[in-house]
């Protein structure tokens, strides 16, 4: 009896387990989400457009605009501008939910500065997952190519969404080749394009002048981006709820996209391989922690909000 009395005296009342004290409120939905704006630019036009998009994003997509499409009412969007090559090499292909790509072609359909390694990555993606080696006469493909039928495992970018604005000069027959290859590669392996594919021609005149086309594309893409952001935060019943099950599924898809993309990078560019074990471990720890946190919450609280 004495031992029991002493135990009750040393245990603080607030640590006693009851149904009321164990049940905790679910964590609030995230308050920020980053959209990466990636570019490849030979003359600077694509880079300038990328930075303009980034500077406009906070005012064009405030929380109130997202709420119009049933998005989280307190979610603020942020952005960073990177070259496509830096996204692969420096960021190690760490795909966010949404990226915006602004790029031109150079020469005879080649990639411009800052996008050459990304284009090489896309070429390998299409070679491995895209075109059938024998070609073909598929009536649904204007170039007469036939595409492989991919299983879910091969759709390595499932969960990634992207918007794409291409720049070029129609004086060259291959002026839009680089943006076309990028779009084909991303969609082939499961990424979803947002909005219209922008085509800004340096030789355009009148209403089709390149600057006017870029301006119209920018004005139109904000609504598409707002819808895409809001869509990721809707529960299975279509109502806003930031359901943890949906959050887990999205994060698992993105983590797989990052891992598979970086693995392919290391095959193509072996010089990028980390020189020590801890550098390799550091790539996967942050994302793994997010997934573990979601799983723990689902286990204890059943995903209830």
């Amino acid at each position: 009896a004495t031992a029991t009395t002493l135990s009750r005296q040393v245990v603080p009342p607030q640590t006693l387990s009851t149904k009321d004290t164990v049940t905790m409120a679910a964590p609030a939905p995230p308050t920020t989400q980053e959209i990466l704006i990636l570019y490849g630019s030979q003359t600077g036009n694509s880079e300038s457009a990328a930075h303009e998009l980034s500077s406009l994003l906070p005012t064009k997509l405030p929380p109130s605009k997202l709420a119009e499409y049933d998005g989280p009412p307190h979610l603020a969007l942020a952005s960073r501008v990177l070259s496509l090559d830096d996204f692969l090499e420096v960021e190690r292909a760490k795909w966010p939910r949404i990226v915006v790509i602004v790029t031109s072609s150079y020469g005879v359909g080649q990639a411009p500065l800052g996008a050459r390694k990304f284009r090489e990555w896309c070429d390998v993606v299409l070679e491995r997952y895209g075109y059938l080696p024998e070609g073909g006469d598929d009536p649904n493909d204007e170039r007469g190519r036939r595409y492989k039928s991919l299983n879910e495992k091969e759709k390595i970018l499932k969960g990634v969404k992207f918007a794409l604005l291409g720049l070029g000069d129609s004086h060259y027959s291959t002026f839009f080749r680089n943006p076309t290859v990028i779009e084909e590669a991303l969609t082939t392996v499961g990424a979803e394009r947002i909005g219209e594919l922008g085509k800004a021609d340096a030789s355009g005149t009148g209403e089709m002048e390149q600057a006017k086309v870029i301006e119209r594309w920018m004005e139109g893409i904000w609504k598409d981006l707002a819808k895409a952001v809001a869509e990721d935060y809707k529960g299975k019943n279509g109502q806003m709820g930031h359901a943890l099950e949906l959050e887990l599924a999205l994060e698992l898809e993105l983590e797989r996209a990052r891992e598979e993309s970086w693995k392919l990078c290391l095959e193509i560019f072996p010089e990028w391989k980390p020189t020590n074990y801890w550098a390799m471990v550091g790539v996967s720890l942050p994302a793994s922690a997010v997934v573990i946190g979601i799983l723990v919450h689902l286990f204890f609280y059943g995903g209830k909000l």
Side-chain angles (χ1 to χ4, degrees), residues 135-151:
D137 54 355
D138 184 347
N140 296 318
D141 179 15
E142 61 184 12
R143 285 175 298 280
R145 289 183 176 131
R146 293 175 60 199
Y147 291 83
K148 298 176 182 176
S149 179
L150 301 185
N151 57 44

Side-chain angles (χ1 to χ4, degrees), residues 24-30 241-242 244 293-294 297-298 301 303-305:
M24 300 172 61
H242 193 61
L244 289 176
I294 295 172
H297 192 93
L298 283 171
Y301 309 122
K304 294 181 179 180
L305 298 174

Side-chain angles (χ1 to χ4, degrees), residues 136-176:
D137 54 355
D138 184 347
N140 296 318
D141 179 15
E142 61 184 12
R143 285 175 298 280
R145 289 183 176 131
R146 293 175 60 199
Y147 291 83
K148 298 176 182 176
S149 179
L150 301 185
N151 57 44
E152 288 301 308
K153 185 178 180 181
E154 292 173 311
K155 294 178 182 179
I156 62 173
L157 291 189
K158 186 178 179 182
V160 175
K161 298 178 182 179
F162 71 98
L164 177 58
L165 170 62
L167 282 69
D169 190 335
S170 60
H171 279 157
Y172 300 91
S173 60
T174 56
F175 89 101
F176 205 68

Side-chain angles (χ1 to χ4, degrees), residues 93-134:
K94 189 176 181 181
W95 294 97
R97 293 181 178 180
I98 296 174
V99 299
V100 179
I101 298 173
V102 185
T103 187
S104 61
S105 287
Y106 175 69
V108 287
Q110 300 163 324
L113 294 173
R116 292 172 182 171
K117 292 186 182 298
F118 191 87
R119 168 63 180 276
E120 188 173 350
W121 185 89
C122 288
D123 286 338
V124 173
V125 164
L126 286 173
E127 179 182 342
R128 183 170 300 184
Y129 301 106
Y131 313 133
L132 288 171
E134 68 271 18

Side-chain angles (χ1 to χ4, degrees), residues 206-209 211-221:
E207 289 302 308
M208 297 308 293
E209 286 182 4
K212 292 181 179 179
V213 172
I214 292 173
E215 183 180 358
R216 287 198 300 271
W217 184 88
M218 286 187 181
E219 283 303 312
I221 203 63

